[in-house]
Amino acid sequence: EAQDAASLFVQLVREGAGDRLGMVTFNSIASLPTSLGPAAAKKNELVGPSPFTTGDVGAITAGGATSIGAGLGIALLAFGGSSTNDRAMLLLTDGLQNTLPMIEEIEGSLGSTKLNVIGFGSDADIDGPLLSRVAREHHGQFTRAIDGLGLRKFFGLSFGNIFEAGALGDPEFILAAAQTESEPHQFSICGEEQITIILGWDSPATPLDAHIR
């Protein structure tokens, strides 16, 4: 589920707009399977061809302990020198940090880097107050996700927070068994030149049509 949500984020990033992508993995130590590079060149490296379930994201496996600080540190190094470009990280962690370096040892070096944080797991499996504070103090968002839908939503909202003016809405609707059409979902805009709509549907065998006006 986490890999599918990360793949969704990668697919959303526009090519040719100057944005760069990369990925760091971490357990007891951190590594850089995907170095930072232009989105057009890195998308296939990260998620492979359709259905976008392979690549470096698809190759991630769980194991080892948890050094979140190591992951953040390698990500900072991957950004390189003192560039003035906007920098953002999405941090996904499914456990409590238990191996040096810790977050607190690295976050002083984050500077203006925007940090969006997803705590993946039950309340007992994450340090919600710590992750929430880190996201808040570094201009990002924090959420706890316990299932695939929650993960996809947050990666979609993070896309808006990083690349756009923000998220305009997050409607969720359940169609009754005999219902073929939902009520309209409305949202307000003011001066936007483009809108990115992410639509999820949990019944692959039944087609869904969306009408955007």
Side-chain angles (χ1 to χ4, degrees):
E1 296 284 12
Q3 288 162 318
D4 286 346
S7 176
L8 168 66
F9 180 88
V10 171
Q11 294 171 62
L12 286 171
V13 178
R14 288 185 298 275
E15 300 178 12
D19 298 312
R20 298 187 297 161
L21 293 170
M23 184 178 71
V24 169
T25 59
F26 62 92
N27 44 49
S28 309
I29 59 175
S31 59
L32 184 68
T34 312
S35 60
L36 201 64
K42 292 297 175 176
K43 281 190 174 185
N44 187 66
E45 191 174 334
L46 282 163
V47 299
S50 180
F52 312 110
T53 56
T54 57
D56 291 337
V57 171
I60 298 173
T61 58
T66 304
S67 176
I68 302 174
L72 294 177
I74 292 295
L76 280 173
L77 290 175
F79 280 130
S82 56
S83 170
T84 58
N85 292 335
D86 290 338
R87 298 175 170 185
M89 298 181 193
L90 276 81
L91 169 63
L92 170 65
T93 176
D94 67 349
L96 300 169
Q97 56 178 351
N98 51 29
T99 302
L100 296 174
M102 303 295 188
I103 289 177
E104 294 85 349
E105 298 173 62
I106 302 298
E107 65 172 308
S109 301
L110 289 173
S112 61
T113 301
K114 183 180 294 185
L115 185 62
N116 289 314
V117 186
I118 311 104
F120 187 30
S122 66
D123 288 333
D125 294 325
I126 64 172
D127 188 340
L130 170 66
L131 299 179
S132 176
R133 177 193 66 76
V134 169
R136 182 179 65 254
E137 293 182 359
H138 296 282
H139 321 293
Q141 301 167 316
F142 166 74
T143 194
R144 181 175 69 85
I146 59 174
D147 57 25
L149 177 60
L151 280 168
R152 287 176 179 80
K153 278 190 170 188
F154 189 75
F155 272 83
L157 291 172
S158 294
F159 169 82
N161 189 32
I162 293 171
F163 293 101
E164 308 292 350
L168 296 174
D170 183 23
E172 185 173 333
F173 194 88
I174 298 175
L175 287 173
Q179 189 176 6
T180 59
E181 183 175 326
S182 76
E183 294 297 320
H185 301 286
Q186 298 184 355
F187 55 88
S188 299
I189 60 173
C190 181
E192 281 79 13
E193 296 179 354
Q194 57 188 13
I195 302 171
T196 300
I197 296 176
I198 306 169
L199 182 67
W201 175 241
D202 66 355
S203 182
T206 307
L208 176 72
D209 292 328
H211 299 270
I212 314 301
R213 298 181 180 87

